Amino acid sequence: MSRIYLSPPHLSGYEQELVGEAFRSNWIAPLGPMVDAFEREICEFIGIQHGVALASGTAALHLAMILSNVKPGDEVLCPTLTFSASANAITYVGAHPVFIDCTYETWNLDPDLLNEELAAQGREGRKMAAVVAVDLYGQCADYGRIEEICKVHGVPLIEDSAEALGATYGNEKAGCFGQMAVFSFNGNKTITTSGGGMLVSKDSDLISKARFLATQARDPAAHYEHSTIGYNYRMSNILAAIGRGQLKVIEDRLAARRRNFEYYFEALNGIPGISFMPEVSYGRSSRWLTCILVDPTHFGVAREDIRLALEAENIESRPIWKPMHMQPVFSKCRVRGGSVSENLFAGGLCLPSGSQMTVEELHRVVSTVKNCYRTS
Ligand SMILES: Cc1ncc(COP(=O)(O)O)c(C=O)c1O
């Protein structure tokens, strides 16, 4: 039986032509017109003014920390339920993450706990250097409240939208919130450049600075003059060509991921002990990954039993991100709350969600999950 992957790349057929164009023009590196066009097209899609294409989403987060003026010894708030890159970038500038729990309704940063933490720090005369909000598994965090809270406390907000290209909050797309937002185009994302990322913002000055830092921080001079530490973080023209080919079919890809979710929901939602990551009324999730929550007391077996049963059928699935406050590397970091994320981790499973999944493959996943169900 052929393997069903969690979220593999899905080529559109346009990529080769665009990569060929880059080769024919001899612009394979450095940078080049494909990069400029990819930046423009992604910004148009999101509805934001400025963007800089980078080597990865993690590089974009690192630059966001530097541009938010986060310094060694500072503290930065970050949801505990996220992929490690959100927190790792905080440490790259010598700062310390402080983790905040999420809510059951959003699986994203809990605005009440965020406010509590910022207020508590304020009472002690301390100020957080920044807040990172994450749009988990394709769903926007509650920006109406989070932006307001950050404004009241005077703390810059960074949107880690690595997983949520195409999601919406109200009438705006993911990527339009906070001072800057981060996207990833690694191999398992809704669209991929094989590896890559982007930093976007309404503020042209921030993106110009990011571009400067990402290109080795060269001061204007014919010789190589440097007054700042720089990074080699830009995306190559070849990878941008792949991204442009992918972006041509973004609406189809988003629709396919939503269709996966709907198929799974129809088939599994009535089963005792199975529930789905909720979709919040303020926006539309891109359903990058379809995530279920398994309650073993009603389903009869645990999340891990389902994962192993899927694996035995050559189907890849993955537990929900292990919360950062449970990770050995962050064990010394503070956390506010944490039990919601711990419970989601204990019962949460990401089902195969690739945009090329066939109905037969979806059926294979569903019947394997259903076969795990045990009534006592
Ligand atoms: C929430 C989140 N932030 C950041 C990243 C980092 O992106 P990249 O893999 O492009 O460095 C990822 C994905 O890998 C992610 O899921």
Side-chain angles (χ1 to χ4, degrees):
M1 239 176 315
S2 63
R3 183 151 176 84
I4 302 178
Y5 290 97
L6 185 75
S7 182
H10 185 185
L11 294 175
S12 69
Y14 295 110
E15 295 88 354
Q16 258 184 338
E17 176 52 31
L18 286 154
V19 170
E21 206 177 305
F23 271 93
R24 283 192 294 279
S25 67
N26 203 39
W27 274 110
I28 62 157
L31 301 168
M34 290 290 169
V35 174
D36 299 341
F38 186 50
E39 288 172 349
R40 218 172 34 244
E41 288 164 7
I42 285 278
C43 286
E44 267 165 31
F45 172 75
I46 295 168
I48 191 124
Q49 289 83 348
H50 310 282
V52 55
L54 299 165
S56 66
T58 308
L61 280 163
H62 184 190
L63 294 178
M65 288 298 138
I66 297 170
L67 294 167
S68 300
N69 216 17
V70 180
K71 296 274 185 275
D74 283 350
E75 289 187 323
V76 174
L77 298 180
C78 167
T80 185
L81 191 65
T82 185
F83 176 62
S84 61
S86 317
N88 284 343
I90 297 168
T91 71
Y92 295 170
V93 290
H96 307 292
V98 174
F99 298 114
I100 306 283
D101 209 352
C102 62
T103 70
Y104 284 119
E105 293 73 34
T106 63
W107 293 24
N108 278 320
L109 196 61
D110 182 332
D112 291 324
L113 292 182
L114 174 69
N115 195 36
E116 266 177 33
E117 179 63 27
L118 287 168
Q121 292 305 314
R123 280 193 298 276
E124 288 177 22
R126 287 152 54 99
K127 199 166 152 188
M128 291 286 159
V131 171
V132 177
V134 178
D135 302 333
L136 209 73
Y137 296 123
Q139 173 149 276
C140 282
D142 186 355
Y143 288 110
R145 293 202 56 208
I146 293 170
E147 282 197 324
E148 183 58 29
I149 291 164
C150 289
K151 201 164 134 202
V152 166
H153 294 278
V155 183
L157 172 66
I158 295 152
E159 180 186 0
D160 179 352
S161 202
E163 302 177 358
L165 186 69
T168 62
Y169 179 96
N171 294 325
E172 288 186 289
K173 285 218 174 84
C176 293
F177 302 94
Q179 284 196 346
M180 282 165 274
V182 165
F183 288 94
S184 166
F185 308 113
N186 78 20
N188 66 24
K189 295 299 183 287
T190 305
I191 64 166
T192 182
T193 55
S194 77
M198 202 173 287
L199 185 69
V200 303
S201 179
K202 297 178 180 106
D203 186 336
S204 66
D205 195 39
L206 283 176
I207 296 301
S208 305
K209 284 184 181 146
R211 208 180 288 283
F212 166 75
L213 291 173
T215 325
Q216 302 285 24
R218 269 188 72 192
D219 292 334
H223 60 270
Y224 277 65
E225 177 89 3
H226 303 278
S227 47
T228 315
I229 297 294
Y231 303 86
N232 184 4
Y233 275 174
R234 294 306 307 274
M235 181 182 279
S236 89
N237 209 44
I238 296 290
L239 300 195
I242 298 174
R244 291 188 71 203
Q246 291 268 291
L247 195 55
K248 283 186 189 295
V249 293
I250 179 82
E251 295 301 345
D252 294 345
R253 299 302 184 249
L254 289 165
R257 289 195 186 245
R258 294 273 321 179
R259 266 200 310 277
N260 290 339
F261 166 78
E262 278 150 24
Y263 188 98
Y264 286 133
F265 190 83
E266 282 286 307
L268 298 173
N269 193 46
I271 299 175
I274 298 265
S275 59
F276 283 76
M277 178 180 181
E279 183 160 19
V280 192
S281 57
Y282 56 58
R284 190 170 163 85
S285 169
S286 71
R287 295 289 182 190
W288 169 54
L289 297 184
T290 292
C291 306
I292 57 170
L293 199 56
V294 183
D295 176 355
T297 54
H298 293 107
F299 188 72
V301 301
R303 180 279 312 278
E304 192 55 11
D305 300 309
I306 300 180
R307 194 188 69 76
L308 291 171
L310 288 166
E311 195 52 55
E313 293 294 319
N314 209 13
I315 298 169
E316 185 186 20
S317 63
R318 189 165 67 191
I320 297 300
W321 300 127
K322 182 175 179 179
M324 292 302 113
H325 73 275
M326 295 171 74
Q327 299 285 357
V329 71
F330 293 122
S331 60
K332 291 198 175 65
C333 295
R334 279 194 296 123
V335 57
R336 185 168 284 265
S339 60
V340 177
S341 300
E342 286 167 24
N343 290 340
L344 292 176
F345 170 59
L349 187 69
C350 306
L351 297 178
S353 301
S355 48
Q356 70 277 58
M357 279 187 83
T358 61
V359 172
E360 289 70 31
E361 287 174 324
L362 288 162
H363 179 73
R364 246 176 83 194
V365 178
V366 160
S367 43
T368 309
V369 174
K370 278 183 170 168
N371 284 340
C372 294
Y373 179 53
R374 297 280 175 274
T375 42
S376 49

